Amino acid sequence: MTPIDDPCEECEEMMQPFLDGSLSEEEVARAQKHLESCSWCAKRYKFEERLRHYVRVAVSEPMSPELKAKLAALRTPL
Amino acid sequence: MSDSAPTTADTRRLARDARDRVRFEEEALELSDQVYRVARRLVGSREEAEDLVQQTYERAFRSWRQYTPGTNLRAWLLRILTNLNIDRGRRQQRAPQTTSIDSEAGDYFLYDKLAAQMPEENPDEERVLERLSQDSIVDALADVPHDFRDVIVLVDIGEFSYADAAQILDIPMGTVMSRLHRGRRILKKNLADTAVA
């Protein structure tokens, strides 16, 4: 990603890959530097991060014990 | 020496084979909760997800030799699962959609929409999110067209890397990234719509 003029615009562009852990070290450092001084962008990052966590927890449904037993029964008998 | 008499080398090989197989099966079973969690959101119902996971493990245990030890077993299992899902004809439901979303809406419009319903100004992110019910989140994700939902489920729910998601879905990494970007926006729009309703 190449630097662009508006630091907030650049920060928004980097938000998704930042939270996905797919930015280079140099890009992460650039984003962090901006986040330290810009409460507006910091708030956006925090909301996005919490939203992802919230969605992940909300849609997680545990596997039934019945299915777990069925899968275990598929093992090669010893 | 008789041809049928097993040699020491044969016995050792069989013993090693049995040990590798048991280890593979144990490792695969340890991942079953995570595999199910992803499967549950890739398909529409709990029954479908359970069938799919069971078929995945049947196939994985049959073809365990094709797995390369030391590589990502969870991704390998999910690759089997998504292929089985395709075999079940899900892909025929609809072509990749070009759902119209408001391109002017920035990444933060969901916050703005939820916060607008609250009395205080500039409310905390956590409190804003509490306005979303669990059911509304499940529905909003289910309503994302499947090509976009698949990548969201793998990356955001399954916590796979872009590269793993690309391999699992057999699509280029750039496609993973663009579908993820678009899919997340669609999800947020769906969430905003349910919050207003």
Side-chain angles (χ1 to χ4, degrees):
Chain A
M1 248 173 234
T2 49
I4 46 182
D5 290 341
D6 179 350
C8 290
E9 196 184 317
E10 184 190 20
C11 202
E12 176 160 0
E13 219 167 82
M14 289 204 282
M15 183 166 73
Q16 302 287 345
F18 180 97
L19 294 173
D20 290 335
S22 64
L23 287 183
S24 68
E25 277 181 29
E26 183 257 330
E27 286 167 332
V28 169
R30 204 159 70 229
Q32 275 170 342
K33 192 170 173 226
H34 178 71
L35 289 171
E36 279 163 21
S37 61
C38 178
S39 61
W40 169 236
C41 282
K43 198 170 169 66
R44 294 158 81 101
Y45 269 54
K46 188 175 171 208
F47 179 71
E48 184 70 21
E49 193 266 325
R50 295 314 300 159
L51 173 65
R52 287 193 196 181
H53 175 77
Y54 214 74
V55 170
R56 186 159 54 241
V57 172
V59 304
S60 284
E61 191 180 288
M63 181 165 63
S64 69
E66 291 77 20
L67 179 60
K68 200 156 225 174
K70 276 186 195 167
L71 297 182
L74 295 173
R75 280 178 299 188
T76 311
L78 292 174
Chain B
M1 194 196 282
S2 155
D3 282 350
S4 58
T7 62
T8 313
D10 283 340
T11 312
R12 277 207 197 126
R13 188 178 51 75
L14 285 171
R16 192 173 57 233
D17 214 50
R19 192 191 59 214
D20 288 351
R21 182 176 188 145
V22 167
R23 185 182 298 162
F24 169 85
E25 290 176 351
E26 293 300 331
E27 285 177 14
L29 284 173
E30 278 171 23
L31 296 169
S32 61
D33 281 303
Q34 295 175 55
V35 171
Y36 176 79
R37 200 173 54 169
V38 172
R40 179 64 190 89
R41 296 304 159 202
L42 289 179
V43 299
S45 73
R46 186 185 177 142
E47 290 71 27
E48 274 180 279
E50 292 194 339
D51 279 354
L52 201 50
V53 170
Q54 191 169 349
Q55 284 176 22
T56 298
Y57 275 81
E58 284 166 0
R59 185 173 287 189
F61 286 179
R62 266 204 313 274
S63 41
W64 69 280
R65 278 177 224 278
Q66 288 169 28
Y67 168 70
T68 310
T71 58
N72 188 337
L73 178 56
R74 199 166 65 100
W76 190 80
L77 292 167
L78 258 300
R79 180 74 200 263
I80 294 178
L81 188 139
T82 49
N83 281 338
L84 283 168
N85 198 24
I86 292 167
D87 292 347
R88 289 155 71 101
R90 193 202 65 163
R91 294 285 150 178
Q92 291 164 15
Q93 288 173 9
R94 49 192 170 186
Q97 293 185 356
T98 48
T99 308
S100 159
I101 59 165
D102 183 0
S103 59
E104 294 305 307
D107 270 319
Y108 214 46
F109 73 93
L110 176 61
Y111 173 90
D112 289 340
K113 208 144 198 176
L114 295 171
Q117 302 167 351
M118 300 171 73
E120 67 264 43
E121 263 187 47
N122 214 12
D124 178 71
E125 293 76 13
E126 206 72 43
R127 292 207 45 239
V128 169
L129 286 168
E130 282 167 9
R131 299 193 68 82
L132 297 168
S133 70
Q134 183 177 5
D135 285 349
S136 72
I137 296 174
V138 168
D139 291 346
L141 179 63
D143 285 344
V144 175
H146 68 70
D147 283 302
F148 301 104
R149 192 176 63 229
D150 286 355
V151 289
I152 294 179
V153 170
L154 288 172
V155 176
D156 287 355
I157 316 297
E159 299 180 85
F160 282 102
S161 66
Y162 295 163
D164 282 337
Q167 205 194 0
I168 290 167
L169 297 171
D170 198 20
I171 54 177
M173 208 156 90
T175 308
V176 168
M177 291 159 75
S178 57
R179 285 189 188 173
L180 198 54
H181 183 72
R182 195 169 176 80
R184 283 171 176 157
R185 290 174 82 97
I186 296 171
L187 175 63
K188 279 186 222 172
K189 183 185 181 297
N190 291 351
L191 286 169
D193 289 348
T194 62
V196 171

